[in-house]
Amino acid sequence: MAKFLSDFKEFAMRGNVVDMAVGVVIGAAFGKIVSSLVDDLIMPLVGVATGGMNFTDYKWVIQHAVMQGTEVIKPEVTLNWGSWVQTVVDFLIVAFCIFVMIKFINQMRRKKKEEPAPAPAEPTKEEALLAEIRDLLKQQAADKADNK
């Protein structure tokens, strides 16, 4: 049991799992924001543009409700196409927002990669002297090898 818990802890604390969890939480919050944008701002404007049409109220009644006085014996069966239209609009807006966000992130990554590396600094006098000594020692070793 201790091994199982240890393995689970190692799995849960991996960077990818934590990043994914953060993404899911942010995605859920982002989804609420987009749903509010669609429900509270965009769909009322679409309703005004279409002559006061509220999409969520539109449905096709397949079977009418069976009533006995004011009591519903069997509820009506409907296809709620208006809610579906609103869900499609929600999806399109979320997809567009994610597209714009990913495009922005990729553009920032490209800019970061394109930044030129700093030019190598000129060697100090000590480094130049050490390089000269190294080259002389290599030359001496090569001369000795040729004389053998």
Side-chain angles (χ1 to χ4, degrees):
M1 184 66 169
K3 172 88 170 111
F4 177 78
L5 291 175
S6 171
D7 290 346
F8 179 75
K9 180 181 176 185
E10 181 183 335
F11 167 77
M13 291 303 158
R14 258 190 225 151
N16 295 347
V17 174
V18 173
D19 291 345
M20 186 176 68
V22 169
V24 167
V25 170
I26 289 174
F30 185 70
K32 288 180 182 179
I33 290 170
V34 171
S35 292
S36 176
L37 173 72
V38 171
D39 295 341
D40 301 330
L41 298 176
I42 293 175
M43 291 313 282
L45 294 173
V46 170
V48 168
T50 58
M53 183 184 235
N54 181 359
F55 281 100
T56 56
D57 294 337
Y58 284 88
K59 58 188 172 191
W60 285 316
V61 178
I62 298 172
Q63 188 175 45
H64 290 283
V66 176
M67 305 281 288
Q68 191 171 38
T70 58
E71 185 180 344
V72 177
I73 304 295
K74 189 174 179 184
E76 70 180 1
V77 178
T78 61
L79 292 177
N80 301 319
W81 67 270
S83 294
W84 181 80
V85 167
Q86 185 157 349
T87 302
V88 168
V89 170
D90 260 350
F91 169 77
L92 292 173
I93 291 171
V94 170
F96 178 74
C97 291
I98 290 173
F99 169 75
V100 169
M101 198 167 54
I102 299 264
K103 187 170 175 98
F104 176 74
I105 290 170
N106 286 340
Q107 189 176 29
M108 295 302 288
R109 283 183 183 166
R110 257 186 256 121
K111 282 184 180 179
K112 191 174 185 178
K113 286 180 183 177
E114 290 174 3
E115 288 179 2
E122 289 292 319
T124 63
K125 289 181 182 182
E126 291 174 346
E127 290 172 337
L129 183 60
L130 287 172
E132 192 176 318
I133 293 170
R134 179 198 61 214
D135 294 341
L136 286 172
L137 289 173
K138 281 183 183 177
Q139 185 62 39
Q140 285 178 355
D143 289 344
K144 282 184 181 179
D146 289 340
N147 290 337
K148 287 186 180 182

